[in-house]
């Protein structure tokens, strides 16, 4: 299940946060550290991350480059869609960003989630994200706008 160009760009930004040393690849240590910062990621360990990387590691370097990461994400999306065809995964992801549960993502919620992911976006970066996603320019991103951004 190929992702949209917008999703690819978002995944590249996520990959860059995982690649803490800027090497262009993610090690098991980097992956474990990044996942531990996410909600529900406390139980991850380096050995499991080594197993995850081995699923995608085409060149055998025990690291995951962006193309390998992207392919792993796409395969995971396909598997989830097959196992649970009635679940709207984009809506579930939206809930991660909709911190207060009001059905819309505002800049403070986006900033909060990005901080949890190890990112500290500037106000200009947040403005740019909202320019791209907030189609009706009302200062919040709805589920429909979120889906449009991801190409769904």
């Amino acid at each position: 299940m190929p992702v949209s160009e917008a999703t690819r760009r978002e995944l590249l930004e996520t990959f860059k946060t995982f690649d803490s040393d800027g090497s262009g690849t993610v090690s098991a240590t980097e992956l474990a550290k990044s996942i531990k910062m996410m909600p529900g990621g406390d139980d991850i360990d380096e050995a499991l991350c080594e197993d995850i990387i081995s699923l995608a590691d085409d060149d055998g370097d025990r690291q995951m480059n962006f193309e390998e990461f992207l392919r792993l994400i796409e395969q995971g999306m396909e598997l989830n869609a097959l196992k649970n065809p009635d679940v709207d995964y984009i809506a579930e992801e939206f809930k991660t960003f909709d911190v207060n549960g009001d059905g819309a993502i505002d800049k403070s919620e986006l900033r909060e989630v990005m901080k949890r992911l190890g990112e500290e976006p500037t106000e200009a970066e947040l403005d740019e994200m909202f320019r791209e996603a907030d189609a009706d320019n009302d200062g919040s991103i709805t589920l429909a706008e979120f889906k449009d951004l991801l190409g769904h």
Side-chain angles (χ1 to χ4, degrees):
M1 164 182 305
V3 298
S4 69
E5 188 56 38
T7 301
R8 184 182 175 88
R9 285 192 306 270
E10 292 296 320
L11 288 171
L12 178 58
E13 290 305 311
T14 300
F15 179 82
K16 287 178 182 177
T17 65
F18 289 5
D19 180 17
S20 60
D21 65 3
S23 66
T25 60
V26 174
S27 68
T29 302
E30 289 172 310
L31 186 59
K33 180 182 170 193
S34 297
I35 292 174
K36 283 181 182 188
M37 289 191 292
M38 296 177 185
D42 297 338
D43 294 336
I44 195 82
D45 64 17
E46 201 167 319
L48 179 56
C49 288
E50 288 172 359
D51 291 342
I52 292 169
I53 288 174
S54 73
L55 295 171
D57 185 19
D58 291 336
D59 57 15
D61 65 354
R62 300 177 64 201
Q63 307 267 326
M64 186 168 41
N65 64 37
F66 177 67
E67 291 305 318
E68 292 167 335
F69 173 77
L70 183 61
R71 194 168 39 262
L72 185 67
I73 296 295
E74 289 172 339
Q75 290 170 349
M77 290 169 61
E78 288 173 4
L79 181 61
N80 280 334
L82 289 172
K83 287 175 63 177
N84 301 300
D86 296 330
V87 176
D88 184 346
Y89 288 98
I90 296 173
E92 293 300 315
E93 185 65 25
F94 179 83
K95 290 177 186 177
T96 301
F97 288 89
D98 182 15
V99 176
N100 66 9
D102 69 352
I105 302 166
D106 63 28
K107 285 184 186 175
S108 66
E109 290 171 310
L110 182 58
R111 181 182 295 110
E112 181 180 330
V113 172
M114 292 187 73
K115 280 184 178 181
R116 278 191 255 147
L117 295 173
E119 288 290 309
E120 297 269 349
T122 65
E123 197 62 33
E125 289 169 329
L126 287 170
D127 288 343
E128 177 59 31
M129 289 177 211
F130 266 74
R131 266 192 297 281
E132 186 175 340
D134 184 14
D136 62 6
N137 296 311
D138 68 350
S140 64
I141 300 168
T142 64
L143 176 58
E145 290 168 328
F146 190 74
K147 285 182 175 186
D148 286 345
L149 177 69
L150 298 177
H152 294 277

